[in-house]
Amino acid sequence: MAIGSKSLFCAALAAVTVLSAPAFAHSLVVETPTVKAAFSAAGGYSVRDLRTGWDLRGSLGERPRSLVRRSGQDGLGPWRELIARTGTQAAVIRVYSSRPLVLLRDERITAGRNKGVFPAFRALPAGLTRFSYGVNTFARYEFGALGAQGPWVLFDGRGRTLVLSPADHFLAADMTDGPGLVDAGGIDPKITRLPAGFEHATLLAFGRGIGATLEAWGRALQALNGKQPVSNRGNVLLAKLGYWTDHGGAYYYRFVPKLGYAGTLRAVRTAYGKLGVPVAYVELDSWWYPKQMGNSLAAMAVNGETVYRADRKIFPRGLRAFDRKLGLPLAVHARWVAPDSPYRREYRMSRNVVLSRAFWRRTARYLRAGGVVAYEQDWLSRKARPAINLTDPGEFLGNMAHAMAREGIAILYCMPLPADFLASTRYSNVVSIRVSNDEFKRARWDDFLYTSALAHAVGLWPWSDVFMSRQLPELILSTLSGGPVGVGDALGRIDAANLKRAMGAQSVLLKPDVPIQPVDATFLAEARNSNAAMVAATHSGDELEVFAYPRVRRQKQVTVSLRELGLTGPAYAWNWVRRRGRRIPAGGSFPMRFRNGWAYDIVTPIRRGGIALLGEIGKIVPLSRERFAVVSRPSSTRVRVSFAGEERAVTITGYASGRPSVHARVGRAGAVRYNAATRLFTTTAYPVTTPGETRAAELVISAGQPRS
């Protein structure tokens, strides 16, 4: 069965047209304002993007016995579709009326060999840049290539884009960009036969803008598979600072000898708390459970888990007792099952992973009782990959997800294939995914940013992996991912001042609304020249956070236009490192000069009243929604400020063309300080202090007389 339920293709029909052989001799066509699709009497088919003229054509290889045209509606909106039936196969092209999306479905009427793929196009549109993700660990991005698991992203020099991918059976799909034939709807050739009733769907999206089209494709994939939006504020893994003991952390398979592992982690908790940057959860990596060759770092790459329970040599009283003594929620790592594990006798397996529901239910209950809030499944591309067939991958990921969801446990995927990204659209409690190799550092930045674009498209928050608190650019990028932020410092090496830039009180991370990813101009520049500087951006409300760095040593700066950031009016660009800014006219640009190999700017639009609110300029995300709610009006800006814990005041900075006035609707506003030379103002918000009131302030900042 395709896409979880056949109901997607069995929506109520508004109209049906049926033509049966030999009564028809011409094409049957459906057309929307953006897409035209057709089947011919001879079995040829085509999908055409009417805005670009891009045409995808193929043939069933035989004359269909009937052609059907019908219409209806599903979760993506109203649609019109064509169905061509042969003796063994039904091929469906569904075109959506309100958006440039096409769903193509291959349904096998009779059992038979895995051949006769639909859709299979003669060629992809010529002259387009090819971009995809490789079938390799962490789904590394590729320019000039199209990976077998998708998505395929093709774009021209104006950013007009098409995205093509499987819509189901993700870990069994096999797309092939071959000479003379493009198998877009293929199933892995290791699966030699397909059963009667088998369905496989392919999703095609057209659009303007590379990032925008990838995002539209991903939203459609989520809707088709039932993924609910994942907030990065409701789960402690995403909302607050964590401490990680994985590869690259100070206490990965090591600890302070006199304290032991449990004592070391309790000391870590205490140390961060004393410095005013308390960690809100602790991650236990692969060292926490017993393995075939013991807890040996030397055997890391070949050492599977024997039983998935706390190692009694490390936690003599078990996981629950440790959690109670630590007093913090836990995130836990998992590998694959060792050859000598009793699980191989007790449960149904696929290669080195357990399929049985009973195992996953028992495991989830055990973890929940031990204070676990997040489960990390690692090695997905290698030893924790199930057999390639039509059932095992779905059972493995599905039984895992459903059991963890029942216990309120979030899931993080690690070492994923592209198919794991896509498969996550079936499970709303899969909230995060690793997007680059172990230890977050400069060599990982490119992979992190390009693969974050894929994670964002399918509704996941990217995980950068562990880094040290002294690594400021990694702290900035990890914070801008919107995903987990986890450090792994040794005792005595904690840079609390850096960490405070990423958070408010009580470890609450101040984040953007979406993950940072390369802007379209970077995709286009790299398509022409692999040495182009990286420019990546995200936003919190209307404010943009822009991070840039050189790809070769000779680059000293990069020029960024407001247009490529999606801004049509004037803006104010604030250099976060050098703490200075400038007004940028509408249609203008600004330089980002690299210092220590990177640059970070905050860019905020200047409203008609001449005000551009920056927020807390000492924070990595100065105007985060965790802190501020902003409503701009023609002559004023209203900002509501939330306070956490015992916070008593928040200082706000902004640009104003003339000296502004500030008054408080809720709480109290401090004096306005205005620099006529820089046109920057500051004021301080103080919260309501009446007992029982929400700790908040609401200020109205009104435009002053513009300076001549």
Side-chain angles (χ1 to χ4, degrees):
M1 184 177 294
I3 315 183
S5 171
K6 259 189 169 181
S7 62
L8 176 65
F9 295 104
C10 298
L13 306 180
V16 179
T17 301
V18 182
L19 298 176
S20 299
F24 63 94
H26 302 293
S27 296
L28 204 58
V29 177
V30 293
E31 186 171 346
T32 72
T34 56
V35 177
K36 180 179 181 179
F39 267 116
S40 75
Y45 53 88
S46 66
V47 177
R48 183 178 179 85
D49 178 15
L50 297 176
R51 294 175 299 180
T52 61
W54 296 341
D55 209 3
L56 298 168
R57 293 180 174 271
S59 176
L60 296 178
E62 60 180 301
R63 184 183 180 89
R65 297 181 179 183
S66 69
L67 288 178
V68 176
R69 179 170 54 205
R70 63 183 188 176
S71 59
Q73 186 165 332
D74 62 26
L76 292 178
W79 50 257
R80 302 176 70 196
E81 72 180 13
L82 303 173
I83 306 174
R85 287 190 174 90
T86 68
T88 60
Q89 182 181 28
V92 183
I93 305 176
R94 177 175 292 184
V95 179
Y96 288 88
S97 304
S98 59
R99 56 183 81 186
L101 292 172
V102 183
L103 197 64
L104 305 104
R105 176 169 53 101
D106 184 354
E107 180 178 346
R108 300 305 170 106
I109 298 171
T110 62
R113 294 173 59 192
N114 178 13
K115 64 177 185 177
V117 167
F118 174 81
F121 304 118
R122 296 190 187 101
L124 296 169
L128 304 183
T129 294
R130 299 180 177 205
F131 175 86
S132 190
Y133 298 90
V135 183
N136 50 46
T137 303
F138 298 110
R140 194 176 192 279
Y141 74 96
E142 301 175 320
F143 277 88
L146 297 176
Q149 295 181 346
W152 293 356
V153 183
L154 295 93
F155 55 89
D156 66 12
R158 296 161 59 185
R160 299 182 299 180
T161 304
L162 73 83
V163 180
L164 188 64
S165 81
D168 54 31
H169 294 296
F170 303 107
L171 285 156
D174 186 76
M175 303 170 72
T176 306
D177 177 25
L181 191 66
V182 178
D183 291 344
I187 294 294
D188 196 300
K190 296 183 182 68
I191 301 169
T192 58
R193 293 186 62 81
L194 301 175
F198 172 76
E199 297 178 11
H200 180 51
T202 301
L203 180 62
L204 172 62
F206 297 105
R208 294 175 178 171
I210 301 162
T213 308
L214 188 62
E215 186 174 352
W217 159 82
R219 284 198 305 268
L221 197 67
Q222 293 176 65
L224 290 172
N225 287 291
K227 180 91 169 189
Q228 298 300 310
V230 174
S231 169
N232 69 347
R233 295 168 170 88
N235 181 287
V236 67
L237 176 76
L238 300 172
K240 295 188 175 185
L241 177 71
Y243 185 81
W244 286 68
T245 64
D246 61 339
H247 187 208
Y251 299 121
Y252 178 65
Y253 284 90
R254 63 174 68 91
F255 47 84
V256 178
K258 66 179 181 180
L259 298 177
Y261 232 132
T264 298
L265 294 181
R266 290 195 297 270
V268 163
R269 175 206 61 196
T270 300
Y272 278 89
K274 285 182 176 180
L275 292 170
V277 286
V279 292
Y281 68 92
V282 170
E283 185 262 358
L284 310 182
D285 210 71
S286 57
W287 51 265
W288 81 274
Y289 46 83
K291 291 180 286 299
Q292 181 182 10
M293 301 178 190
N295 267 313
S296 165
L297 183 58
M300 178 187 68
V302 295
N303 216 353
E305 62 197 38
T306 51
V307 292
Y308 193 61
R309 295 291 186 268
D311 190 331
R312 291 287 180 173
K313 295 177 182 177
I314 300 173
F315 304 116
R317 300 181 61 190
L319 185 64
R320 187 174 183 178
F322 166 72
D323 174 67
R324 287 180 172 177
K325 202 162 185 179
L326 181 67
L328 294 175
L330 301 175
V332 293
H333 174 279
R335 287 189 167 192
W336 66 92
V337 175
D340 65 345
S341 170
Y343 296 159
R344 293 184 179 271
R345 300 185 301 273
E346 297 169 1
Y347 300 109
R348 193 161 47 87
M349 302 278 301
S350 180
R351 290 183 175 167
N352 300 311
V353 298
V354 181
L355 300 181
S356 299
R357 290 182 183 177
F359 167 82
W360 288 108
R361 287 174 178 171
R362 291 167 187 165
T363 297
R365 287 196 294 266
Y366 169 79
L367 295 178
R368 184 61 178 170
V372 172
V373 296
Y375 170 86
E376 178 189 9
Q377 181 60 63
D378 201 355
W379 294 84
L380 284 167
S381 62
R382 298 185 187 178
K383 298 192 177 185
R385 185 179 183 183
I388 299 173
N389 57 40
L390 298 178
T391 58
D392 289 7
E395 279 199 79
F396 171 53
L397 296 179
N399 288 339
M400 175 201 303
H402 299 322
M404 297 299 170
R406 180 178 294 185
E407 302 300 328
I409 297 174
I411 295 175
L412 184 156
Y413 286 168
C414 190
M415 293 178 65
L417 295 164
D420 293 306
F421 285 77
L422 277 59
S424 74
T425 60
R426 297 177 64 90
Y427 317 114
S428 294
N429 64 322
V430 179
V431 302
S432 184
I433 195 163
R434 271 275 301 281
V435 292
S436 55
N437 214 328
D438 292 359
E439 300 182 60
F440 195 36
K441 53 189 176 183
R442 175 63 181 84
R444 313 285 189 237
W445 292 1
D446 284 3
D447 292 350
F448 165 78
L449 290 167
Y450 276 118
T451 311
S452 288
L454 175 59
H456 171 54
V458 297
L460 295 172
W461 295 97
W463 164 220
S464 66
D465 200 23
V466 70
F467 57 94
M468 302 303 174
S469 58
R470 64 182 180 275
Q471 296 174 241
L472 180 56
E474 282 76 19
L475 175 63
I476 292 171
L477 284 170
S478 189
T479 302
L480 296 182
S481 77
V485 177
V487 289
D489 300 295
L491 292 167
R493 300 294 302 276
I494 303 166
D495 190 332
N498 261 358
L499 292 176
K500 288 177 180 178
R501 303 172 194 239
M503 66 178 73
Q506 300 175 331
S507 306
V508 175
L509 296 165
L510 303 178
K511 294 186 169 189
D513 298 342
V514 298
I516 188 170
Q517 61 191 66
V519 299
D520 280 5
T522 295
F523 277 92
L524 295 171
E526 183 149 358
R528 298 188 299 267
N529 172 15
S530 61
N531 292 327
M534 170 64 73
V535 178
T538 181
H539 66 88
S540 48
D542 291 336
E543 185 172 81
L544 291 123
E545 294 83 32
V546 186
F547 192 92
Y549 56 89
R551 312 288 280 287
V552 293
R553 288 186 178 181
R554 65 176 178 273
Q555 293 168 339
K556 302 300 181 184
Q557 68 176 47
V558 63
T559 299
V560 180
S561 71
L562 296 184
R563 180 181 57 81
E564 65 192 56
L565 297 177
L567 297 176
T568 56
Y572 189 81
W574 173 257
N575 184 314
W576 188 86
V577 176
R578 305 184 74 178
R579 299 179 67 82
R580 63 181 66 170
R582 64 172 70 183
R583 184 187 188 278
I584 313 299
S589 59
F590 60 97
M592 294 185 69
R593 296 184 176 88
F594 303 133
R595 188 175 183 179
N596 297 321
W598 55 279
Y600 182 43
D601 278 30
I602 307 299
V603 184
T604 189
I606 299 173
R607 299 302 178 188
R608 281 186 292 170
I611 292 174
L613 196 63
L614 289 170
E616 294 178 279
I617 55 176
K619 302 296 186 182
I620 292 170
V621 180
L623 208 61
S624 70
R625 290 186 191 269
E626 285 86 0
R627 174 74 85 185
F628 299 104
V630 180
V631 177
S632 295
R633 303 181 185 279
S635 60
S636 67
T637 295
R638 182 178 296 179
V639 54
R640 185 173 180 84
V641 187
S642 298
F643 294 78
E646 299 302 315
E647 288 179 322
R648 298 180 181 275
V650 170
T651 299
I652 301 170
T653 298
Y655 166 92
S657 56
R659 183 182 184 87
S661 61
V662 178
H663 74 272
R665 290 171 53 91
V666 177
R668 183 168 62 88
V672 176
R673 294 172 292 280
Y674 183 69
N675 185 319
T678 63
R679 303 190 186 186
L680 291 177
F681 70 89
T682 60
T683 188
T684 302
Y686 300 92
V688 168
T689 57
T690 306
E693 293 275 3
T694 301
R695 287 181 52 76
E698 187 172 309
L699 308 184
V700 177
I701 305 169
S702 301
Q705 185 66 32
R707 179 171 173 265
S708 59

